[in-house]
Amino acid sequence: MHGEYKVPGGKLVVVDVDVVDGVLRHARVAGDFFLEPDEALDAVNGALEGAPADTDATGLAARIEAALPEGTVLYGLTAEGVGIAVRRALAHATDWTDYDWQLVHEGPQPPALHMALDEVLTHEVAAGRRPPTLRVWEWASPAVIIGSFQSLRNEVDAEGARRHGVEVVRRISGGGAMFVEPGNTITYSLSVPQALVQGLSFQDSYAYLDDWVLGALGDMGIRAWYQPLNDIATDQGKIAGAAQKRIVGPDGAPGAVLHHVTMSYDIDADKMLEVLRIGKEKLSDKGTKSAKKRVDPLRRQTGLPREAVIERMIESFRTRYGLTQGKVTDEELARAQELARTKFTAPEWVARVP
């Protein structure tokens, strides 16, 4: 069995391993990481030998750390990264380059339709009728998007939203509220087969699916990192938030994962604070007393037009994994429009947690 895992901010770890009578045998770890001394690699392979095949990544990492020679230096590699690569091998996980990725980047659309398109396209990937898809959003109007489990009244100032003409919609994934305005936000979705994140914990899947974005930002001169559970941050502050939804495939098939990210290109912080209710408790774990300081826009950090940032992100993805131009089919759009009408604009959904 073969497994690969790109350590967030680090290097690629590759593991080939067999399972004999319920334990790991013949483990061989490789990759473009750095490791000193040379014999530490033998120690890593030896630590995996004989481990019960159901040992989780944390348990495998503990075995590896206990076996490493004193003074071992790992660069671009972690013991947990090796453990994750083993779990992905045992789960028969796929890799980014195993797929023909499709890009969907169309004109501005209403907020409720974006919510519906995420659901429809991810169901199509789960059913095997659509290839894995990167969809870049364009917004037709300002909106607040609240998480699936958030309280509407606790998160949104209804009067402020009405005054500024901001539509409130609820997405199918969890996480926090996002304030968006056309031209000031970069939002994208990844609809991917479950097999791509097989063997990863929920938290690890966020880091794994965000890694290409960190590379793209790095190419634009921004040193960014994944900040658990669902933020992308720089030393200037948070620049993006991610959320996920797992969708089961037809007849119990493995299904697909929706991973979407909203990035702040620019932001009207005063307007945001008139629309969102951002309490002290939410700020307490962010190391800041002011909501205005929580998000640092990409416009200031890159000096690039929004369209150029998006173009560079798309090109970075294409260079890494390949990407062909696609579109939402007429059938997918019709289903999404119906879903936007019957679900995502319905008070029963938007206010399902009052």
Side-chain angles (χ1 to χ4, degrees), residues 126-143:
R129 293 187 293 263
R130 161 171 281 279
T133 299
L134 167 65
R135 184 171 74 91
V136 180
W137 304 20
E138 296 294 345
W139 295 91
S141 58

Side-chain angles (χ1 to χ4, degrees), residues 293-324:
K293 296 179 181 179
R294 282 187 59 196
V295 181
D296 193 70
L298 284 170
R299 180 183 62 80
R300 189 184 68 79
Q301 292 202 42
T302 64
L304 295 171
R306 175 179 175 275
E307 294 74 15
V309 174
I310 292 173
E311 183 179 337
R312 292 196 184 191
M313 288 173 58
I314 291 172
E315 188 54 37
S316 179
F317 192 102
R318 180 180 288 113
T319 300
R320 283 177 172 230
Y321 311 126
L323 192 63
T324 59

Side-chain angles (χ1 to χ4, degrees), residues 26 45 64 100 110 121 123-124 169 217 238 249 263 298 303 313:
H26 316 123
N45 290 332
I64 292 168
D100 295 323
L121 297 188
H123 272 287
E124 289 297 287
V169 293
L217 292 170
K238 172 182 172 180
M263 312 179 78
L298 284 170
M313 288 173 58

Side-chain angles (χ1 to χ4, degrees), residues 1-3 14-18 25-30 45 48 85 89:
M1 287 167 277
H2 179 87
V14 180
V15 174
D16 291 284
V17 67
D18 299 323
R25 297 295 185 195
H26 316 123
R28 299 169 299 282
V29 176
N45 290 332
L48 297 175

